[in-house]
């Protein structure tokens, strides 16, 4: 039984197709192979940012005991993923360096409301979307890459990010009414889908359709 099934009355978001309103365009998939080294660098940054995001929630919302232990566990997992990225970067002699991010996180953060309690709900749902989209893209990357070790790595991460997506939504359903959360999932999902269907010159793990 998933975490979500244990939350009575919550809409069941069992898999990423139940939440993501659009699939990644094939033009994005076609850019994976020519850019796999840069994607690995971007991926390492994404894992560290995922840990940052959860630490920020722990730090900012100390009064929500329900968040503390699950998010702490998630932070450890994200940093473990970061370490695995570093391992593969080293294996393929790819330097780890700062790179320009795509517009995905910025587009999602724009929709987060400012009032404290609304902000927490939006941050949990935005995190769920980032995990769900990561999950989808790990699956796509695993499908087209030609490095056997990386294929296995991304297949393993697919499962982890699927669990993270479910965990974030379960937390939202534990704190807020189901109707509030369900409505916000639709709104944030629309903004997420709009970005994914837009065009973007920068190619990254979460970027829009390549120009
Ligand atoms: Fe991760
Ligand atoms: Fe994650």
């Amino acid at each position: 039984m998933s975490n979500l099934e244990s939350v009575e009355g919550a809409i069941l978001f069992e898999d990423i197709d139940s939440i993501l309103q659009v699939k990644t365009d094939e033009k994005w998939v076609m850019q994976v192979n020519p850019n796999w080294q840069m994607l690995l660098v971007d991926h390492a940054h994404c894992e560290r940012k995922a840990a940052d995001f959860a630490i920020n929630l722990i730090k900012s919302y100390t009064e929500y005991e329900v968040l503390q232990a699950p998010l702490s566990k998630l932070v450890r997992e994200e940093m473990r993923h970061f370490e695995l990225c570093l391992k593969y970067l080293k294996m393929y002699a790819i330097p780890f360096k700062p790179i320009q991010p795509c517009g995905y996180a910025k587009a999602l953060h724009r929709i987060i409301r400012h009032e404290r309690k609304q902000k927490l709900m939006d941050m949990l749902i935005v995190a769920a979307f980032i995990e769900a989209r990561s999950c989808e893209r790990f699956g796509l990357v695993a499908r087209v890459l030609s490095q056997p070790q990386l294929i296995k790595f991304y297949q393993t991460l697919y499962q982890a990010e699927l669990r993270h997506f479910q965990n974030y939504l379960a937390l939202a359903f534990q704190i807020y009414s189901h109707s509030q959360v369900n409505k916000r999932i639709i709104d944030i999902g629309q903004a997420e889908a709009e970005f994914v269907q837009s065009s973007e010159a920068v190619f990254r793990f979460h970027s829009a359709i390549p120009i």
Side-chain angles (χ1 to χ4, degrees):
M1 181 182 279
S2 75
N3 284 355
L4 275 182
E5 282 174 291
S6 64
V7 182
E8 200 183 323
I11 287 185
L12 297 183
F13 291 97
E14 284 291 319
D15 55 50
I16 55 170
D17 291 336
S18 62
I19 190 169
L20 297 178
Q21 295 182 13
V22 294
K23 286 191 194 307
T24 289
D25 194 279
E26 277 301 309
K27 283 187 197 138
W28 184 90
V29 183
M30 284 164 64
Q31 288 300 316
V32 169
N33 260 321
N35 293 290
W36 72 271
Q37 292 161 309
M38 183 279 300
L39 271 189
L40 198 53
V41 176
D42 185 48
H43 179 192
H45 288 293
C46 289
E47 296 292 356
R48 196 265 307 147
K49 286 181 206 165
D52 279 351
F53 192 97
I55 287 176
N56 191 26
L57 285 174
I58 292 171
K59 191 174 70 180
S60 305
Y61 292 93
T62 49
E63 71 272 35
Y64 290 92
E65 198 191 337
V66 70
L67 297 177
Q68 305 297 321
L71 288 180
S72 174
K73 184 170 181 278
L74 188 138
V75 168
R76 280 185 280 126
E77 272 196 83
E78 302 295 20
M79 290 313 289
R80 176 67 188 138
H81 295 166
F82 173 71
E83 289 165 33
L84 289 169
C85 290
L86 294 182
K87 182 184 104 173
Y88 288 111
L89 286 171
K90 196 172 178 185
M91 183 189 290
Y92 293 107
I94 305 165
F96 181 49
K97 55 182 183 198
I99 53 171
Q100 181 196 346
C102 67
Y104 184 71
K106 215 177 234 180
L108 286 182
H109 279 85
R110 223 173 277 137
I111 200 173
I112 294 174
R113 292 167 296 179
H114 297 294
E115 188 277 321
R116 183 173 166 71
K117 204 165 177 193
Q118 290 178 336
K119 185 175 179 180
L120 174 59
M121 189 204 302
D122 289 356
M123 285 181 82
L124 292 171
I125 297 170
V126 160
F129 271 98
I130 296 172
E131 298 287 352
R133 185 62 67 187
S134 304
C135 184
E136 185 217 22
R137 297 222 165 156
F138 288 155
L140 294 171
V141 168
R143 195 186 83 197
V144 296
L145 277 183
S146 44
Q147 297 79 2
Q149 280 163 309
L150 286 183
I151 293 170
K152 199 155 186 290
F153 175 47
Y154 283 113
Q155 285 168 342
T156 309
L157 286 188
Y158 181 96
Q159 295 303 328
E161 307 308 350
L162 178 64
R163 191 161 30 77
H164 293 170
F165 139 68
Q166 292 169 335
N167 290 345
Y168 269 119
L169 280 191
L171 289 173
F173 281 119
Q174 281 175 64
I175 298 172
Y176 301 95
S177 80
H178 300 141
S179 61
Q180 282 177 311
V181 176
N182 291 335
K183 184 183 176 309
R184 224 34 209 151
I185 286 173
I186 304 295
D187 294 343
I188 294 174
Q190 274 169 5
E192 203 268 353
E194 262 170 45
F195 177 82
V196 168
Q197 288 181 310
S198 67
S199 300
E200 188 170 31
V202 177
F203 180 73
R204 298 286 183 263
F205 233 105
H206 295 96
S207 56
I209 301 173
I211 290 172

